[in-house]
Amino acid sequence: MTTRPVVYVTRRIPETGLAPVREACQVRLWEEELPPPKSVLLQEVADCDGLLCLLTDPIDEEVMAAGTRLRVISQMAVGVDNIDLRAATARGIPVGHTPGVLTEATADFTFALLMAAARRIPEGVDYVRAGKWRTWEPMGLLGVDVWGATLGIVGLGRIGTAVARRARGFAMHILYYDPTRRPDLEAELGVEYAELDDLLARSDFVSLHCPLTPETHHLIGEAALRRMKPTAILINAARGPVVDPDALVRALSEGWIRAAALDVTEPEPIPPDHPLVSLPNCIVVPHIASATVSTRERMAAMAAENLLAGLRGERLPYCANPEVYARPL
Ligand code: GLV
């Protein structure tokens, strides 16, 4: 009898992912609600062949050094900024992720945030709950128009493009900034390339869809926020640290911009007493842009597919560090 590979799964995930992994591997599952502490992670990876992790798990050099048997790391998320890809590549460990399957859910949610902030929906809900709705008010809870407004998309990848497709339905003028110019999408979607400063100055809505890298860390800080229109709304469904939270607090309290809607924050989770949580012109939700039943099921299945391919010694179908396959032996 061949021994089955040992796999550590850092949280309970949908059965679409757990079942195939259980069938082929000896699974150790962290059953708690919160992520495993680093000490547990270090201990668990020590005798594992594979790791199925989440964006809440910092998979750094230390974890990889502890996982002397690790042959594959598979993350159930598209973003992999919590994983030291360079360290993984140096050790010859392929890292899997889940691109594509969450694009539409995330774009839907980005639009939900945009509309909620533009039309002040959470404030309206609070108003009714607080018993303040006494009559129809000609000037109560006025928002801003989405239809025909200018949307600036920072990062025209899969999700940014899906947001642009939705924005066309609202007759929005769409600007984009991306290190890679996309003439194909300019022609197909009528999006206009703009340098970041220009995009910030011209947009009524600025929506972030770039990965978190050293280049995008605090990309939206004081200077960027001061460039935006005082009527503009910032949406972040990318990664929290793309925005400098201290600068954003000042921007929202001092009126440099009108409002913000954040699915992601720095830190994450954001403490409930953080000013961004209580500012009336800021919407904060707990990193749920991909949180639909079918999307999470597909993400889990894809994470399993990557994991099992890696354990079989095959190329991962969705690999975040493809350079691992090119490295000299
Ligand atoms: C979620 O944020 C993801 O990266 O999948």
Side-chain angles (χ1 to χ4, degrees):
M1 200 183 90
T2 52
T3 51
R4 302 193 316 161
V6 179
V7 164
Y8 187 55
V9 182
T10 63
R11 217 91 60 78
R12 182 167 282 282
I13 61 170
E15 274 305 305
T16 47
L18 266 190
V21 175
R22 278 210 174 101
E23 215 163 280
C25 311
Q26 202 179 313
V27 173
R28 287 207 305 260
L29 174 66
W30 176 254
E31 295 266 10
E32 306 289 318
E33 201 183 328
L34 298 181
K38 183 80 175 281
S39 56
V40 172
L41 195 55
L42 289 172
Q43 214 176 343
E44 290 287 356
V45 294
D47 61 348
C48 275
D49 303 289
L51 175 65
L52 199 158
C53 58
L54 305 184
L55 54 83
T56 42
D57 305 312
I59 310 298
D60 55 15
E61 178 74 57
E62 197 185 0
V63 172
M64 287 180 224
T68 48
R69 268 170 54 179
L70 264 189
R71 281 184 278 146
V72 57
I73 296 170
S74 175
Q75 167 139 299
M76 190 183 126
V78 65
V80 286
D81 46 277
N82 57 309
I83 302 176
D84 186 338
L85 286 187
R86 211 174 347 187
T89 305
R91 289 172 186 275
I93 305 173
V95 176
H97 68 149
T98 64
V101 291
L102 48 75
T103 299
E104 303 303 341
T106 305
D108 282 350
F109 196 77
T110 300
F111 238 84
L113 286 177
L114 185 154
M115 305 273 295
R119 301 304 306 274
R120 305 175 62 178
I121 292 174
E123 285 174 86
V125 172
D126 287 348
Y127 197 78
V128 175
R129 287 197 172 142
K132 292 183 184 164
W133 185 16
R134 295 190 305 150
T135 182
W136 184 84
E137 293 172 49
M139 292 191 293
L141 287 169
L142 302 187
V144 291
D145 290 324
V146 174
W147 180 264
T150 297
L151 169 65
I153 295 178
V154 178
L156 196 66
R158 282 176 292 259
I159 297 169
T161 303
V163 169
R165 289 187 200 287
R166 283 156 180 74
R168 274 161 59 91
F170 286 83
M172 296 180 97
H173 180 64
I174 307 162
L175 306 174
Y176 80 96
Y177 167 72
D178 193 286
T180 311
R181 183 107 185 231
R182 294 294 304 269
D184 54 332
L185 294 175
E186 290 172 27
E188 184 195 335
L189 300 174
V191 296
E192 180 192 340
Y193 177 81
E195 291 300 331
L196 182 60
D197 283 356
D198 186 36
L199 177 149
L200 293 168
R202 289 167 62 198
S203 298
D204 300 307
F205 298 90
V206 173
S207 192
L208 307 177
H209 300 288
C210 50
L212 174 61
T213 62
E215 291 74 40
T216 62
H217 183 264
H218 287 190
L219 180 70
I220 306 300
E222 170 161 356
L225 290 161
R226 283 195 186 275
R227 254 178 217 113
M228 289 172 66
K229 295 181 187 180
T231 49
I233 293 177
L234 176 72
I235 299 113
N236 189 6
R239 281 292 182 267
V242 176
V243 177
D244 174 348
D246 297 333
L248 183 59
V249 168
R250 289 174 54 221
L252 291 169
S253 4
E254 295 170 20
W256 311 348
I257 66 171
R258 179 184 179 92
L262 313 173
D263 182 44
V264 289
T265 55
E266 182 187 31
E268 211 166 282
I270 194 165
D273 60 355
H274 193 286
L276 288 176
V277 176
S278 48
L279 278 166
N281 54 348
C282 189
I283 298 171
V284 183
V285 289
H287 203 150
I288 53 174
S290 70
T292 71
V293 175
S294 66
T295 297
R296 290 286 167 85
E297 284 177 353
R298 285 197 299 262
M299 289 167 70
M302 206 168 184
E305 218 184 308
N306 278 327
L307 183 85
L308 297 177
L311 291 172
R312 287 192 299 264
E314 294 166 10
R315 195 182 174 103
L316 307 197
Y318 310 97
C319 187
N321 60 339
E323 59 279 6
V324 74
Y325 297 112
R327 77 190 240 293
L329 294 172

